[in-house]
């Protein structure tokens, strides 16, 4: 009997060993995977109890965590001037997760980035909570405000101002905007109520920053790529005289495509490329597309960044130039219609590339990351994204883009004494009367300081044009009269 | 093979020393909770700490009077477990705004007083052997109580409680003890018949049906009742109790083999026919499937427990600094996950080792007991404690499916606390009888031939 009791003890020990083994497995070996599991909300809760770093614009916090005694967490995320920066900062929500910079810079903001490992080790021994680093953006609050106010309430639009020589983005605004604080509330019930309200706002999608996430047909701003393709082929230059019929038959089809009815194109049936660009005539580019073939345009758009997934550090939706094109589809594509779709940032990169002598600098929103003690952890250095074209061709394109402002479609952007290069665009939306109104350009043309892109979506033509060229002028005045 | 390695000295001072250590650990845990949750060093701490210390010392004094040779390690281990459990329940109270800790302290008081009464009233566990069939009757009544209309009370689909006024109680917890008494009593008096008579089929020596029938019938009825009440955990516990007592009584491993076959067959049958068992198994196998996780009665509980354990990791978040309250039933069924989160693998391992010590000491008492009844009872009760720990920890860690069993001495719940303290009283009593010097009570000698401590002491002496 005693032997049986001893055997029972052995069985009991085996059970306890199994239990200890299972605990060791869960708490030690599998702990990492469990902590990373998508169903696990504890890491998020932990984050909410720690001081998260601030997001700054010109040293002032636009998103910061302040200590709170209300709610279940020690800190509350607060957005200052939330509508102005909503699409940039995104939000940090217990219920809906995080978006935009809050999401893209989460490691830095929570203090988990590689640059902060030494601080984390120190905190481990001192018992202090890990403080997140602050993220200083490249945004110029003054320009941001000017740009934001230029989009009327109720209009869906985006304005981007950037530095072609560095790729730094100085302003990036979109309307409709929203109060990001509504998403940062701790109660999930209230967060859901707020979310439902925001879902009702027409044209607003809180998950997307339109500047980097909306794909829109570029209309005639696409002609910048046409010009590059034409000049690169060696068959065209500014003085090349081209036929400019009012309508042209689309290749392989009975349909025709005409010049825009409101413009000056009807004045000349034959004109130089310079005049055609200035007045944004369509039919000569249809001929050019047949002459050069789809590959020429695909190469140029690829060089300018189409199809490329960028992180600036927020994710940028790649712009699209369709893969397979019939002659007729190519003809519509080269005037920025059919299935050609771009983000506002892509057209801003086009302007930056031309302005910077053919070299596109990587667009960037983050200037530097600073530790809680203000020590700079990392600084973003300007990076070359790629060479879009040669300096010679860039210079010729710049010259051609002066035309619209001097005597063409962008005359209302002209500022006496300032050398401006720009290209307008209007893309039709299906069979509706609504259009997307574009302008993208830079100034001063001989020494570009800023590239500006404006797009007003789903708007009637007249209102659209009144919000693009005149607003380009106002932004450039704000930049150069400071 | 020495049967008695501990020399017959009372060791009550050693117990007192260990008891003070256990109380220090418990109160330190309680204090840390207050410190880390900003509740601080309040009056509750002094009152509740004082009550726990007073109760523990009462048991100690009782042992000095009625069982001075009792194992000195059992009581401190139990007090430490009970104290840490109280601190953890208090901690969950703070995060949930509940007041379970006070009730648990009240029940601790009741349980300890009952344990003292058991020590005082019974003195010698062999007295219990006389009540074999009364124990059976009491077991059946206790098990049937929750089925009585108007008295029974159902929680989470399990009908294992009775409710009087606002008080609920699980009579099944006590039934485990009375059944253990019955099994031990029946087998100790019929052991010879069972071992000798019967036919041998292959390697299996089968007893005559009429010798074992009362046992098996009693056991089947108990399990049947528990199955009807949908108390999976208690069924497993009873099964284990039955198997271990019959194994120790007969010394035949074949009983375990047969038992395991029964478990397998029964398990498959239950899985296929009982919805709540199916749900548990599915929740266990596919715990991380979002559909199962979000389902009603799904795997959320076990998965949250795993997340809590993982959050604790090796060192734990510190008492009061984790989020154990996020786990459903954090202070009862899932208290192991709560402890694991805040004390870490290291802290939880220490707790598991306390159970190892407790169970080992119980089995040590069984080994030393001079009568078959004592041996069987101590083994059965110790094994029950171990099995509970295994089923709970295995369930929480997803080693086995989760069943609603309490962690002895720690989980919130009065019935379990009361039952386990009675078990402790019985183990202390048996260990006292095992360890006391033979000369003091000559009547205790000669009952079991294998237990001849005098001879062993001689042999030990000769070696030294």
């Amino acid at each position: 009997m005693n032997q049986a009791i001893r055997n029972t003890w052995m069985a009991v020990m085996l059970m306890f060993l199994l239990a200890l083994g299972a605990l060791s497995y869960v708490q030690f070996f599998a702990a990492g995977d469990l902590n990373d599991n998508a169903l696990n909300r504890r890491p998020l809760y932990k984050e909410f109890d720690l001081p998260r770093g601030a997001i700054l614009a010109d040293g002032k916090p636009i998103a910061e965590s302040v200590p709170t005694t209300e709610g279940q967490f020690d800190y509350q995320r607060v957005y200052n001037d939330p509508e102005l920066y909503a699409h940039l900062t995104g939000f940090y929500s217990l219920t809906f997760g995080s978006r935009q910079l809050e999401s893209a810079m989460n490691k830095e903001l929570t203090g988990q980035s590689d640059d902060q490992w030494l601080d984390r080790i120190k905190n481990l021994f001192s018992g202090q909570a890990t403080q997140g680093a602050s993220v200083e953006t490249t945004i110029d609050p003054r320009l941001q405000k000017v740009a934001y106010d230029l989009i009327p309430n109720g209009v869906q639009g985006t304005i981007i101002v950037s530095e072609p020589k560095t790729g730094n983005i100085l302003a990036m605004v979109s309307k409709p905007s929203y109060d990001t604080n509504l998403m940062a509330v701790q109660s999930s019930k209230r967060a859901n109520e707020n979310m439902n309200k925001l879902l009702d706002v027409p044209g607003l999608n809180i998950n997307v920053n339109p500047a980097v996430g909306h794909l829109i047909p570029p209309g005639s701003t696409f002609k910048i790529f046409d010009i590059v393709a034409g000049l690169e082929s060696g068959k065209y230059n500014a003085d090349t005289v081209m036929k400019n019929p009012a309508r042209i038959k689309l290749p392989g089809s009975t349909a025709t495509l005409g010049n825009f009815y409101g413009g000056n194109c009807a004045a000349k049936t034959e004109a130089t490329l310079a005049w055609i660009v200035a007045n944004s005539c369509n039919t000569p580019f249809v001929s050019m597309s047949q002459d050069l073939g789809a590959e020429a345009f695909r190469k140029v758009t690829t060089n300018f960044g189409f199809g490329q997934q960028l992180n600036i550090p927020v994710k940028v939706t790649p712009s699209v130039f369709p893969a397979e094109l019939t002659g007729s589809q190519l003809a519509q594509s080269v005037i920025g219609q059919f299935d050609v779709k771009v983000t506002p940032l892509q057209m801003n990169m086009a302007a930056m590339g031309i302005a910077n002598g053919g070299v596109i600098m990587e667009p960037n929103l983050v200037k530097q990351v600073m530790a809680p003690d203000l020590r700079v952890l990392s600084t973003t250095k300007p990076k070359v994204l790629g060479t879009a074209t040669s300096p010679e061709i860039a210079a010729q394109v710049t010259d051609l883009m002066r035309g619209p402002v001097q005597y063409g479609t962008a005359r209302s952007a002209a500022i006496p004494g300032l050398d401006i290069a720009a290209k307008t665009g209007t893309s039709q939306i299906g069979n509706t009367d609504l259009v997307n109104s574009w302008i993208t350009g830079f100034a001063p043309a001989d020494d570009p300081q800023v590239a500006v892109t404006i797009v007003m979506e789903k708007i009637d033509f007249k209102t659209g044009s009144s919000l693009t060229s005149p607003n380009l002028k106002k932004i450039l005045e704000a930049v150069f009269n400071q | 093979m020495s049967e008695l390695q501990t020399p017959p000295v009372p060791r009550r001072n050693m117990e007192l020393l260990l008891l003070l250590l256990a109380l220090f650990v418990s109160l330190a845990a309680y204090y840390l909770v207050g410190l880390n949750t900003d509740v601080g060093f309040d009056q509750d701490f002094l009152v509740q700490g004082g009550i726990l210390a007073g109760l523990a010392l009462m048991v100690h004094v009782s042992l000095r009077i009625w069982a001075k040779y009792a194992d000195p390690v059992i009581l401190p281990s139990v007090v430490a477990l009970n104290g840490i459990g109280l601190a953890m329940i208090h901690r969950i109270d703070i995060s949930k705004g509940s007041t379970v800790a006070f009730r648990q302290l009240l029940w601790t008081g009741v349980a300890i007083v009952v344990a003292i009464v058991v020590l005082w009233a019974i003195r010698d566990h062999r007295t219990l052997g006389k009540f074999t069939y009364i124990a059976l009757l009491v077991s059946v009544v206790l098990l049937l109580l929750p089925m009585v209309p108007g008295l029974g009370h159902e929680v989470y689909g399990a009908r294992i409680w009775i409710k009087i006024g606002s008080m609920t109680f699980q009579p099944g917890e006590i039934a485990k003890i009375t059944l253990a008494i019955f099994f031990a009593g029946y087998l100790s008096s019929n052991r010879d018949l069972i071992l000798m008579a019967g036919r041998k089929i292959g390697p299996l020596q089968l007893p005559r049906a009429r010798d074992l029938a009362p046992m098996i019938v009693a056991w089947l009825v108990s399990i049947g009742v528990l199955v009807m009440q949908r108390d999976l955990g208690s069924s497993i516990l009873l099964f284990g109790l039955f198997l271990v007592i019959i194994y120790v009584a007969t010394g035949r491993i074949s009983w375990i083999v047969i038992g395991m076959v029964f478990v397998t067959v029964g398990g498959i049958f239950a899985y296929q026919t009982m919805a709540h068992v199916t749900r548990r198994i599915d929740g266990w196998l596919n715990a991380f499937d979002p559909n199962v996780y979000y389902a009603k009665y799904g795997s959320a509980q076990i998965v949250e427990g795993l997340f809590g354990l993982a959050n604790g990791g090796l060192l734990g978040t510190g008492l009061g600094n984790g989020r154990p309250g996020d786990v459903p039933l954090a202070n009862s069924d899932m208290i192991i996950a709560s402890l694991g989160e805040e004390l870490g693998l290291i802290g939880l391992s220490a707790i598991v080792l306390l159970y190892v010590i407790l169970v080992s000491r119980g089995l040590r008492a069984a080994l030393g007991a001079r009568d078959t009844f004592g041996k069987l009872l101590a083994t059965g009760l110790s094994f029950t404690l171990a099995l509970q720990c295994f089923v709970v920890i295995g369930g929480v860690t997803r080693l086995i499916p989760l069943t609603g069993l309490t962690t002895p001495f720690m989980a919130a719940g009065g019935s379990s606390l009361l039952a386990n303290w009675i078990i402790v009283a019985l183990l202390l009593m048996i260990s006292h009888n095992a360890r006391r010097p033979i000369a003091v009570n000559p009547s205790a000698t000669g009952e079991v031939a294998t237990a001849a401590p005098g001879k062993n002491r001689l042999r030990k002496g000769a070696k030294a």
Side-chain angles (χ1 to χ4, degrees):
Chain A
M1 194 179 281
N2 281 349
Q3 191 51 46
I5 295 173
R6 285 195 192 92
N7 290 344
T8 304
W9 182 80
M10 303 247 277
V12 164
M13 286 306 112
L14 186 70
M15 290 188 329
F16 278 118
L17 274 178
L18 277 172
L20 283 172
L23 285 172
S24 308
Y25 174 74
V26 171
Q27 296 202 267
F28 188 75
F29 297 103
D33 287 343
L34 286 167
N35 285 330
D36 293 341
N37 191 291
L39 293 167
N40 195 347
R41 301 179 69 78
R42 269 188 173 72
L44 194 61
Y45 291 142
K46 209 187 273 179
E47 275 180 28
F48 273 78
D49 270 337
L50 292 175
R52 184 178 174 85
I55 301 177
L56 310 165
D58 196 25
K60 291 197 187 65
I62 54 179
E64 60 185 325
S65 287
V66 296
T68 176
T69 50
E70 284 167 47
Q72 50 173 329
F73 299 105
D74 295 346
Y75 290 88
Q76 171 68 50
R77 197 67 167 164
V78 171
Y79 297 93
N80 304 313
D81 247 334
E83 282 93 356
L84 183 56
Y85 296 102
H87 292 293
L88 281 177
T89 59
F91 52 79
Y92 181 64
S93 160
L94 188 65
T95 317
F96 300 109
S98 54
R99 303 285 189 281
Q100 306 307 332
L101 281 176
E102 290 277 32
S103 167
M105 299 303 285
N106 191 49
K107 272 197 164 178
E108 287 77 7
L109 292 166
T110 52
Q112 300 302 315
S113 74
D114 295 342
D115 294 320
Q116 285 157 277
W117 68 272
L118 197 62
D119 296 320
R120 286 199 298 278
I121 302 274
K122 274 190 237 160
N123 289 339
L124 188 67
F125 287 102
S126 67
Q128 276 184 314
T130 303
Q131 261 190 301
S134 295
V135 172
E136 170 85 53
T137 62
T138 55
I139 297 295
D140 175 342
R142 196 182 63 93
L143 276 182
Q144 179 86 357
K145 179 78 176 129
V146 168
Y148 186 77
D149 290 341
L150 288 176
I151 310 173
N153 287 330
V155 169
Q156 196 179 337
T158 294
I159 298 178
I160 303 171
V161 183
S162 62
E163 276 180 346
K165 287 170 185 164
T166 61
N168 285 344
I169 290 162
L170 303 176
M172 184 182 260
V173 297
S174 293
K175 273 189 183 173
S177 189
Y178 63 103
D179 184 349
T180 30
N181 290 310
L182 294 176
M183 292 291 102
V185 294
Q186 293 189 2
S187 141
S188 65
K189 187 171 161 281
R190 277 192 51 212
N192 275 306
E193 287 167 6
N194 292 340
M195 171 69 112
N196 284 336
K197 268 181 226 156
L198 294 180
L199 284 174
D200 290 340
V201 178
L204 174 66
N205 177 352
I206 59 165
N207 300 317
V208 174
N209 173 1
V212 298
H214 265 191
L215 285 175
I216 315 161
S220 296
T221 52
F222 190 86
K223 286 171 189 164
I224 293 173
F225 307 121
D226 299 343
I227 306 166
V228 173
L231 295 175
E232 279 182 347
S233 73
K235 296 181 187 171
Y236 300 87
N237 62 50
D239 300 325
T240 305
V241 176
M242 302 173 77
K243 283 195 176 124
N244 182 28
R247 297 200 78 78
I248 190 165
K249 197 165 100 43
L250 287 173
S253 144
T254 53
T256 59
L257 192 150
N259 284 331
F260 193 66
Y261 60 87
N264 289 330
C265 288
K268 294 190 182 187
T269 52
E270 258 186 7
T272 60
L273 181 63
W275 192 88
I276 287 164
V277 170
N279 290 292
S280 203
C281 306
N282 289 336
T283 52
F285 288 102
V286 175
S287 316
M288 186 194 271
S289 75
Q290 285 172 272
D291 182 20
L292 299 178
E295 275 320 300
F297 296 91
R298 181 161 296 118
K299 187 169 151 275
V300 171
T301 51
T302 305
N303 288 346
F304 272 91
F306 277 56
Q308 201 177 337
Q309 158 76 69
L310 291 179
N311 297 300
I312 69 165
V314 298
K315 270 205 171 98
V316 181
T317 308
S319 298
V320 186
F321 187 77
E324 296 287 327
L325 288 171
T326 63
S328 154
Q329 289 166 345
L330 176 63
Q332 294 171 68
S333 296
V334 299
I335 58 161
Q337 296 278 180
F338 187 59
D339 283 344
V340 179
K341 293 216 167 67
V342 297
T343 57
L345 183 67
Q346 175 62 66
M347 291 325 293
N348 189 256
M349 283 160 63
M352 283 203 285
I354 301 299
N356 199 36
V359 175
I360 304 180
M361 303 306 287
E362 199 170 302
N364 173 41
L365 276 170
V366 172
K367 189 188 283 174
Q368 59 188 21
V369 176
M370 288 171 301
D373 57 6
L374 299 183
R375 193 162 34 93
V376 174
L377 291 171
S378 68
T379 309
T380 314
K381 292 186 191 73
K383 274 194 289 272
V384 173
L385 181 66
T387 304
T389 187
S390 67
E392 294 75 30
I393 290 185
Q396 291 180 53
V397 178
T398 302
D399 206 29
L400 285 168
M401 283 171 71
R402 285 181 170 119
V405 184
Q406 285 169 3
Y407 59 93
T409 52
R411 276 189 307 273
S412 48
I415 301 171
L418 185 63
D419 186 8
I420 304 171
K423 182 73 197 79
T424 58
T426 305
S427 59
Q428 289 165 319
I429 303 170
N431 291 324
T432 66
D433 288 338
L434 297 180
V435 298
N436 300 308
S437 250
W438 286 87
I439 190 164
T440 187
F442 51 90
D446 55 347
D447 177 26
Q449 302 298 314
V450 289
V452 181
T453 302
I454 302 175
V455 55
M456 300 293 156
E457 296 179 53
K458 296 174 192 157
I459 199 165
D460 67 89
F461 174 71
K462 252 190 108 173
T463 321
S465 349
S466 73
L467 290 174
T468 44
S469 298
N471 280 346
L472 178 69
K473 178 183 176 177
K474 285 176 191 156
I475 287 175
L476 292 176
E477 281 170 350
V479 171
F480 293 105
N481 294 340
Q482 50 187 301
Chain B
M1 280 276 186
S2 76
E3 296 297 337
L4 194 72
Q5 282 154 347
T6 326
V9 284
R11 295 223 170 204
R12 292 274 69 79
N13 292 335
M14 161 73 93
E15 182 183 72
L16 183 61
L17 203 69
L18 290 174
L19 199 55
L20 292 176
L21 183 66
L23 285 168
F24 172 75
V25 168
S26 308
L27 295 187
Y30 206 98
Y31 182 59
L32 268 177
V33 168
L35 207 65
N36 285 334
T37 51
D38 301 326
V39 175
F41 190 81
D42 57 0
Q43 207 184 339
D44 282 2
F45 171 74
L46 286 176
V47 173
Q48 302 192 7
I51 293 176
L52 181 70
L55 288 165
L57 291 171
M58 268 166 62
V59 184
H60 171 70
V61 171
S62 312
L63 289 178
R64 279 188 186 266
I65 303 169
W66 297 308
K68 68 173 178 170
Y69 286 97
D71 193 307
V73 184
I74 292 180
L75 180 65
S77 310
V78 171
V79 168
L81 289 168
N82 200 337
I84 296 169
L86 275 168
M88 196 68 219
I89 293 168
H90 167 63
R91 188 259 171 278
I92 306 281
D93 274 352
I94 291 172
S95 70
K96 297 223 157 176
S98 51
T99 52
V100 182
F102 181 70
R103 208 172 62 208
Q104 182 80 349
L105 187 67
L106 220 63
W107 271 111
T108 304
V110 171
I112 288 180
V113 168
V114 170
I116 292 171
V117 169
V118 166
L119 278 173
W120 165 76
I122 301 176
R123 304 285 172 91
D124 189 335
H125 63 272
R126 283 169 295 188
T127 320
L128 291 171
K130 296 173 195 153
F131 298 109
T132 300
Y133 290 95
I134 292 177
L136 174 63
L137 189 72
V138 172
S139 310
V140 172
V141 170
L142 285 172
L143 283 169
L144 288 176
L145 273 182
M147 318 275 277
V148 176
L151 194 63
H153 177 63
E154 197 171 304
V155 180
Y156 296 121
R159 196 181 173 89
I160 50 177
W161 282 268
I162 55 168
K163 193 170 183 178
I164 304 164
S166 64
M167 262 208 2
T168 54
F169 191 77
Q170 255 178 282
E173 290 280 350
I174 308 293
K176 286 169 209 162
I177 302 172
T178 50
L179 271 173
I181 292 172
F182 167 68
F183 290 158
Y186 184 83
L187 280 174
S188 59
S189 48
N190 298 296
R191 185 167 169 257
D192 292 340
L193 269 175
I194 292 165
L195 281 179
M196 300 304 168
R199 270 184 303 173
K200 203 175 159 85
I201 302 175
L204 287 182
Q205 167 90 41
L206 289 182
R208 286 185 306 183
R210 66 163 179 240
D211 295 331
L212 216 47
M215 277 284 291
I216 292 181
V217 169
W219 170 70
L220 276 177
V221 167
S222 318
I223 298 239
V225 168
L226 292 176
V227 165
M228 275 191 285
Q229 292 169 350
R230 306 221 281 181
D231 187 3
L232 208 59
S234 295
S235 304
I236 294 171
L237 215 56
L238 220 56
F239 205 104
L241 178 70
F242 176 78
L243 278 188
V244 81
I245 293 188
I246 213 166
Y247 163 66
V248 173
T250 61
R252 288 195 186 127
I253 204 88
S254 50
W255 284 106
I256 308 291
V257 178
I258 296 171
M260 289 303 164
V261 172
F262 267 96
V263 168
T264 314
V265 173
I268 293 171
F269 178 75
Y271 175 65
Q272 284 175 344
T273 56
M274 290 152 84
H276 69 286
V277 178
T278 315
R279 237 181 357 240
R280 291 223 187 234
I281 305 273
D282 283 345
W284 172 57
L285 291 174
N286 310 311
F288 290 97
D289 180 341
N291 291 328
V292 178
Y293 175 86
Y294 287 111
K296 199 183 175 193
Y297 301 121
S299 61
Q301 183 182 6
I302 179 172
V303 168
E304 287 304 323
L306 288 172
F307 288 157
L309 286 171
N311 186 31
L314 197 59
L315 299 169
T317 59
L319 269 171
N321 287 335
R323 299 186 62 89
D326 291 353
V327 184
L329 302 177
N331 61 13
S332 55
D333 288 24
M334 297 300 278
I335 199 162
I336 286 291
S338 306
L339 292 160
E341 176 166 8
E342 300 211 317
L343 298 176
L345 178 61
I346 293 177
L348 198 47
S349 299
I351 289 170
V352 172
L353 289 179
L354 278 177
Y355 283 114
V356 170
I357 291 170
L358 176 62
V359 172
S360 299
R361 284 283 144 181
L363 287 170
R364 182 69 191 78
L367 217 48
R370 293 152 183 157
D371 62 309
T372 309
F373 175 70
K375 278 179 186 295
L376 293 181
L377 187 60
T379 307
L381 295 177
S382 307
F383 185 76
T384 307
L385 288 176
L387 191 58
Q388 275 190 67
C389 293
F390 176 72
V391 169
V392 166
I393 298 174
V396 169
T397 52
R398 212 158 80 95
L399 181 65
I400 56 173
L402 188 68
T403 43
L405 262 185
T406 53
T407 313
F409 306 106
M410 301 196 110
S415 345
S416 147
L417 210 49
L418 179 64
N420 286 316
W421 267 103
I422 294 176
I423 289 178
V424 166
L426 294 176
L427 289 178
L428 283 168
M429 205 186 297
I430 296 169
S431 75
H432 163 72
N433 281 295
R435 292 177 74 252
R436 70 182 165 181
I438 243 80
V440 173
N441 185 356
S443 71
T445 56
E447 253 190 44
V448 177
T450 47
K455 212 167 96 188
N456 283 313
R457 251 181 297 137
L458 253 176
R459 199 165 63 198
K460 251 184 121 182
K463 253 189 223 165

